[in-house]
Amino acid sequence: MPPLTPTALAAAIESAAASHSPLRGRSVHAQILKTLTTPTTPTTLSNHLVNIYSKLDLPDSALLALRLTSHPSVVTWTALISGAALNHRHLSALRHFSAMRRLSIQPNHFTLPCTFKSSAALRDPLAGRQLHGLAVKSGLIDDVFVGCSAFDMYCKCGCWDDARKVFDEMPVRNVATWNAYISNSVFEGRMYDAFGAFVEFRDVGGEGNSITYCAVLNGCSDSGDVLLGRQVHGVLIRSGCDRDVSIGNGLVDFYGKCGEVGSAEVVFKGMGVRNVVSWCSMIAAYEQNYEEEKACVVFMDARREGARPTDFMASSVLSACAGIAGLEVGRSVHALAVKACVDENVYVGSALVDMYGKCGNIEDCEKAFDEVPERNLITWNAMLGGYAHQGHAHMALALFKEMTEGCEREVSPNYVTLVCVLSACSRAGAVEEGVKIFWSMRERYGIEPGPEHYACMVDLFGKAGMVEQAYEFIKGMPIRPTISVWGALLGACRVYGKPELGKIAASNLFEIDPKDSGNHVLLSNMFAASGRWEDATVVRKEMKEVGIKKGAGCSWISVKNVVHVFQAKDASHERNSEIQAMLMKLRTYMKASGYIADTNFALYDLEEEEKETEVWCHSEKLALAFALISIPPGVPIRITKNLRVCGDCHSAIKFISKIVDREIIVRDNNRFHRFKDNQCSCRDYW
């Protein structure tokens, strides 16, 4: 077989580079060495060898190939520099450029953009300015790609005045230049500059591409400017560019972030072609706007269409599952993430921790946390949030200590971290620890307490029965108390029978949010529990007069992929006779075990026997009775309630967990209660 020609060998190297195969590249290199008659490689072939080794991130081989070249040219050095920049070896790229200059080799219009890119990545404006000076001296600055790279470097280094000068002095600007200006302005939060540049670009007759319009739409969503975004959408429709899949994805993302879910749906449904980003954008739009069930439905549609789960898609749908406590769906997504090999991604791992924590499955939450290979702050916060939901203050505090002091790479807490820790303390009665952490926030962590932190502290004092101290704490707050702060105080007054202080909290709540039915109902219930039936009636009458309607309390449970919803005294279920029979059976066993109904939770002025009948028909008891006749023995029962579980139901479910020997998890609007063997995870502190 005759030896291959240099042209054929060069083509073989390029083929190996295109297929990202180091093995094929080395094979071709070996063939070149076998056919060489001189100890040095011809410059043309050397250029190709340096290029493939550099692009495939084999820097030692690339440098060796360059050194074995008899007369390396600017093309050879540019191949080495561009490969280093491509593989994020930016310091090496600049060192190679310096070595090239020491050999008196002049850069070309391909070399300088690579070095500007590395300077920008290193945030090194000093090196960037030196490169800029060289570009000016060599006359290459007038090249549109070199000028655009210099401009981009100054933007990424935060030198906006220098960037603007470079931009103004450019003799020719192409669409890439304008895109760089708009994108960098949006990234740095300079929306006025971004929108001004877009208008200027349109005025000079520029026709944008998908990058241009997606950057502008990102700016509109970041600034919340729905009107401007709609105007851009109109321009896209008139030009026909809205049919581009990337622009369609950008529109779905824009409308989703601006809370315009209906518009996002219209754009999504009108897309002729969808890619995986389209599905991810629609799922994220639903999840960000608290329409978690629709997000899960779109995810299932994406799977039917053959879309492969990505890390972004998995993390978005897991967040949706967390929002609706959809444990079974979340587990299915977890399995798909493992199959798609994205479960070790830090964002997917953090979403898994968050999902299991919010679904009340603390064991799987801890397991997911342990399996995240490299944790970030979001991962730690998700685990702390899981402990907070369960009221495990000692575990939350231990994890917080490990996070800030014990792990190899200490993680600085943020605002959310301390909300989670204080919330865990309030739910477990860890008053001393909570107070200590709160007062150390500024000095130790440099975090100014916000409304959520103050609300946690009021809740901490209130749950511990220190209601007067909670009120004094509110009076000493340097910021105006929020709904959460007064709500925490009103809730404590309800539990500990402090109607007068409760009236103060309620009046402040009515002033801040007069239309919220929950505050009126809580005040009425507080009066009813203390026997002040006339005051309770007055509050409810006032609600009726101003048109405030109380949202119905309900509990729901999922059985065989069907959600069953129950309200108090609900007799509409198709298996109602079986539910009532189970309730009677449980009632008999419970009375024999010493259960006495707490009629303080009957909120109408009735006879004692009628009160007992009323509390026995609460929605969570109906849901539990249905679960016992529908779910096989040994399987944990999971009930969700839209309001806080009442004290009598809490006591009753404890008894029932012992009688039927089942684990029962109830998620109300405040926390999780995990009942087993006549005990609750909250230890009756809630």
Side-chain angles (χ1 to χ4, degrees), residues 600-632:
N600 285 326
F601 291 92
L603 302 175
Y604 295 94
D605 192 8
L606 305 168
E607 296 298 324
E608 195 66 24
E609 188 175 336
E610 292 174 305
K611 288 181 180 180
E612 189 173 332
T613 302
E614 187 197 345
V615 297
W616 193 249
C617 294
H618 283 182
S619 63
E620 50 266 61
K621 291 191 181 86
L622 295 172
L624 177 55
F626 172 71
L628 290 170
I629 64 174
S630 305
I631 298 176

Side-chain angles (χ1 to χ4, degrees), residues 30 38 48 80 164-165 229 286 297 327 389 400 406 468 476 543 628:
T38 58
H48 287 289
L80 183 67
R164 184 72 212 196
K165 286 176 185 175
Y286 281 131
V297 170
L327 180 62
H389 280 297
F400 181 64
E468 286 81 8
M543 287 176 62
L628 290 170

Side-chain angles (χ1 to χ4, degrees), residues 318 329-339 343 348 352 355-356 364 368 371:
L318 284 168
V329 179
R331 279 181 171 149
S332 300
V333 177
H334 188 179
L336 288 169
V338 172
K339 286 176 67 178
D343 57 310
V348 176
L352 282 167
M355 184 273 293
Y356 282 122
D364 284 342
E371 290 177 354

